[in-house]
Amino acid sequence: MRTPVALLLELGVILAALSVLGTLARRFTLSPIPLYLLAGLAVGEGGIAPVPAAGAFVETGAAIGVILLLLVLGLEFSLPEFAVGMRRHVPSAVVDLALNAAPGAVAGWLLGMDGIGILALAGATYISSSGIVARLLSDLHRLGNRETPAVLSVLVLEDCAMALYLPVLAVMASGGVWWQAILGVLAAAGAVLAVFTVSYRWGHHLGRLVAHPDAEQLLLRVLGLTLIVAALAELVHASAAVGAFLVGLTLTGETATRTRAVLSPLRDLFAAVFFLAIGLSVDPADLLPVLPAALALAVVTLATKLLTGRYAAARDRVGRRGQWRAGTALIARGEFSLVIVGLAGTLHDTLGPLVTSYVFILAIAGPLLTRLSPSWLRSGANARDGGAPAS
């Protein structure tokens, strides 16, 4: 089998460039995510150094990157404890929906969009990026913080809401009738409920199924099972990320510890590809005409996500500093907002460029604000909220 020289060369240059950018970010104790996003913008269509041969690999690698990020994140927690947190944060999910979907809906109305455009823009401003948030929590060593369970509960509840939202949007965007949308919602709701029930009642058997003393066998078993579950979840619009997260939750003890060790390097590689892919999907020429509107929408929804995170963390009785950390962690938008553009973006000339610009702004601003958030408050506040110091 002959491998295209252009593919090897482009991938080699991309990985070398990401290594340099990652090293630069670490030197200044920043998350490398914004630099990876800017690198994607530089090598995407309309950028200064396009990489057409590597495009298909980056797109596939991005999907795997989100799955690995959520799988490894799930390994840090137990399913019973997380289920309790999910039930406690249903009010947080309601607040999240009200605060963050409303600005998108109002913006769509002001821009003269029809009902489908308003619904699409509301969804794009509502949903945070599970992939970016998962990497941030790991990069900044906040997985053990008191506010982290609240952040994760909000993210998973958002992804579950997307399972109900996406079938409706897909049917409406394709010109389908109301009963098709209802059937899609019922099927997605049933699938999400079934996934959670199976994981909660019988998930403990997974540990015995995948456990093996050989690291290679453990890697192949866990990764194979996770991709199958993610594919089934995606099939019913329940989100591949949620499926991967649930697999991680069901693995405990020594199996979870060894799985984290063998998967972490693979996760870091494909996570970098995921962030690169977001930038790669953006044409810089499309950003400029809608940049003022995107900036205004980003400022408003940045504030509403801060309020969402603070409310969710307060329900867990986290202190003021931890509440701010929770709010900044939820700011970034990403993969789901771009999926929404794929479903409805062609129906409106403004929708696609606006959402893409909006996502790019918050995908960069979110990690930066998350990293800088501890400096907003006095260092003594950390002792009051009980959270670990941000790194």
Side-chain angles (χ1 to χ4, degrees):
M1 182 177 68
R2 183 176 179 82
T3 305
V5 174
L7 173 62
L8 295 177
L9 181 60
E10 288 179 6
L11 284 178
V13 172
I14 286 173
L15 294 178
L18 292 179
S19 172
V20 172
L21 293 174
T23 301
L24 183 64
R26 304 295 183 196
R27 183 177 296 274
F28 293 97
T29 64
L30 295 171
S31 170
I33 293 173
L35 295 182
Y36 291 165
L37 292 167
L38 291 173
L41 188 66
V43 299
E45 183 179 352
I48 58 175
V51 286
F57 173 86
V58 171
E59 184 177 353
T60 303
I64 296 174
V66 176
I67 290 169
L68 290 176
L69 281 166
L70 271 295
L71 168 63
V72 175
L73 186 62
L75 292 170
E76 301 287 341
F77 303 91
S78 70
L79 187 56
E81 292 176 348
F82 192 76
V84 172
M86 287 271 288
R87 288 194 293 269
R88 185 166 60 249
H89 283 289
V90 170
S92 302
V94 175
V95 170
D96 184 24
L97 178 62
L99 287 179
N100 295 289
V106 171
W109 176 70
L110 290 175
L111 291 170
M113 296 182 183
D114 60 11
I116 299 175
I118 291 173
L119 181 65
L121 193 51
T125 59
Y126 161 65
I127 185 75
S128 299
S129 171
S130 299
I132 293 177
V133 175
R135 179 59 187 266
L136 277 174
L137 293 175
S138 176
D139 279 351
L140 301 178
H141 308 293
R142 295 183 182 177
L143 293 175
N145 281 22
R146 285 189 59 197
E147 76 276 1
T148 297
V151 172
L152 296 180
S153 295
V154 170
L155 286 177
V156 172
L157 288 167
E158 283 184 353
D159 284 354
C160 290
M162 282 289 111
L164 307 180
Y165 165 86
L166 289 177
V168 174
L169 181 64
V171 169
M172 293 179 63
S174 63
V177 294
W178 63 269
W179 60 266
Q180 291 176 316
I182 292 176
L183 286 178
V185 169
L186 291 176
V192 170
L193 182 61
V195 167
F196 274 96
T197 301
V198 170
S199 297
Y200 189 80
R201 291 186 176 274
W202 299 286
H204 59 281
H205 295 297
L206 283 180
R208 292 195 294 269
L209 179 65
V210 302
H212 197 280
D214 182 67
E216 178 185 347
Q217 281 296 316
L218 180 65
L219 172 64
L220 293 174
R221 292 181 183 190
V222 172
L223 190 55
L225 177 64
T226 302
L227 292 176
I228 291 171
V229 172
L232 294 175
E234 193 72 21
L235 185 65
V236 295
H237 303 289
S239 170
V242 168
F245 185 68
L246 287 174
V247 172
L249 285 176
T250 57
L251 300 179
T252 58
E254 183 184 355
T255 301
T257 301
R258 293 183 60 233
T259 300
R260 278 196 298 271
V262 298
L263 278 179
S264 291
L266 198 62
R267 174 206 60 183
D268 293 341
L269 170 63
F270 282 99
V273 174
F274 163 67
F275 302 124
L276 181 80
I278 294 179
L280 200 65
S281 66
V282 178
D283 187 339
D286 293 336
L287 301 180
L288 296 179
V290 295
L291 196 56
L295 278 170
L297 193 57
V299 169
V300 172
T301 54
L302 183 153
T304 54
K305 278 295 182 183
L306 281 173
L307 292 175
T308 298
R310 293 202 63 183
Y311 176 83
R315 288 189 62 81
D316 282 351
R317 300 186 179 182
V318 176
R320 188 163 64 100
R321 196 169 186 231
Q323 291 174 23
W324 280 111
R325 287 197 300 263
T328 55
L330 290 169
I331 288 172
R333 272 55 160 201
E335 62 276 11
F336 260 127
S337 298
L338 297 176
V339 168
I340 291 169
V341 169
L343 290 175
T346 58
L347 301 179
H348 299 275
D349 293 337
T350 306
L351 182 62
L354 175 62
V355 172
T356 302
S357 302
Y358 168 80
V359 166
F360 200 76
I361 291 168
L362 289 183
I364 292 176
L368 290 175
L369 290 174
T370 304
R371 174 63 185 87
L372 298 174
S373 60
S375 64
W376 298 352
L377 302 168
R378 292 175 301 178
S379 59
N382 185 70
R384 293 195 299 272
D385 71 45
S391 299

